[in-house]
Amino acid sequence: MKNNKNFRSKFIDSLRHQGIKNELILEILATLPREIFIEPALRTRAYDQDALPIGCNQTISSPYIVAKMSEIIYERDNMGSVLEIGTGCGYQTAILSSLFDSVVSIERIEALHVRAKKTLASLNLKNITLIHGDGHEGYSEQNYFDAIILTAAPVKVPDKLLDQLNENGRMILPLHVDGSQKLYRLKKTKNGIHKKDIDDVRFVPMLEGKV
Ligand code: SAH
């Protein structure tokens, strides 16, 4: 892409301006080529601050929301394993792969799962397992995760995902509440779940079953 470097430095300036402070995350976003996750016809808009269509009626989240979710899932000394629900185009997955030791990501739409697999393979990232399945079930082959992130909004916190979270683990998720959505950060402690309200958001709904 013409002037790619210029696009990317404006992209990072804009994220800083919107309040993203974690330098590691800004550095990852600055080096990851966002255009390869986007359909060719929309690639000139890859470094805009918009959510964009990725086919199958789904969207890649805006760069700010991806950066924000990465920032709130970050805990310097607890970056072992992460489970992502909603691979979509794989952009957030690639960022998680730079932050965590291992990533499992589940997508319910086969066409998106297959495309994300190709895109992520082209980046040669070795610590990612991609699954075509329903995220409500979690990933039982690996029982416990240090972190779980949902990029589609359920109506309630899926029980199986809570079960698969380590004690002291955290879950970042959008939840439907009274006709709108809020982003929450849950922390699992031995005394129960602590819930923190982060922001108003709009994600696609988390649906049942795989297609
Ligand atoms: N992080 C993604 C966001 C994609 S939108 C990206 O950057 O592209 C959310 C994704 O969640 C969609 O691809 C949708 O198909 C998927 N999804 C919705 N319900 C799901 C479920 N039950 N299990 C797995 N994926 C689901």
Side-chain angles (χ1 to χ4, degrees):
M1 187 184 290
K2 234 189 345 183
N3 250 339
N4 210 343
K5 217 169 152 197
N6 202 11
F7 274 123
R8 289 202 203 177
S9 76
K10 280 202 184 129
F11 177 68
I12 297 304
D13 287 348
S14 164
L15 291 172
R16 272 188 215 282
H17 193 72
Q18 293 175 81
I20 302 300
K21 294 190 183 70
N22 184 313
E23 289 300 326
L24 175 62
I25 289 164
L26 288 167
E27 173 66 29
I28 293 168
L29 281 151
T31 45
L32 187 64
R34 195 164 191 267
E35 65 276 12
I36 68 168
F37 295 90
I38 309 237
E39 289 181 40
L42 294 170
R43 281 191 183 157
T44 53
R45 293 174 59 195
Y47 295 93
D48 291 355
Q49 292 296 327
D50 301 326
L52 295 171
I54 53 171
C56 308
N57 263 332
Q58 306 302 320
T59 48
I60 178 172
S61 305
S62 73
Y64 169 74
I65 240 343
V66 172
K68 183 75 189 167
M69 288 181 86
S70 305
E71 206 167 59
I72 59 181
I73 206 168
Y74 187 77
E75 279 181 16
R76 209 183 55 189
D77 300 321
N78 194 8
M79 302 301 282
S81 55
V82 63
L83 172 65
E84 177 188 40
I85 308 300
T87 314
C89 68
Y91 182 65
Q92 176 87 65
T93 321
I95 294 164
L96 294 170
S97 126
S98 297
L99 290 171
F100 284 84
D101 296 337
S102 67
V103 185
V104 175
S105 183
I106 305 178
E107 171 57 55
R108 68 182 288 274
I109 300 178
E110 188 171 20
L112 292 179
H113 161 76
V114 169
R115 181 140 45 91
K117 213 169 191 170
K118 278 196 195 134
T119 310
L120 291 167
S122 77
L123 290 171
N124 209 15
L125 303 170
K126 305 270 189 229
N127 59 346
I128 301 176
T129 306
L130 294 179
I131 306 288
H132 173 222
D134 180 352
H136 289 95
E137 299 301 316
Y139 184 64
S140 51
E141 275 91 303
Q142 178 178 326
N143 263 329
Y144 297 104
F145 290 88
D146 297 314
I148 298 181
I149 180 171
L150 279 69
T151 67
V155 283
K156 70 183 266 289
V157 184
D159 291 335
K160 286 196 179 158
L161 296 183
L162 265 186
D163 290 347
Q164 287 178 26
L165 194 59
N166 261 331
E167 192 173 302
N168 285 324
R170 65 280 193 199
M171 188 187 295
I172 314 301
L173 81 164
L175 260 188
H176 287 281
V177 258
D178 305 329
S180 62
Q181 285 181 20
K182 275 187 185 301
L183 187 64
Y184 290 97
R185 185 183 207 278
L186 310 186
K187 183 89 182 170
K188 190 173 184 178
T189 73
K190 60 174 181 307
N191 303 317
I193 305 290
H194 292 223
K195 193 170 171 188
K196 191 172 160 203
D197 176 344
I198 308 280
D199 215 344
D200 291 330
V201 285
R202 233 173 83 200
F203 282 81
V204 298
M206 182 167 174
L207 301 175
E208 300 282 340
K210 61 177 178 178
V211 289

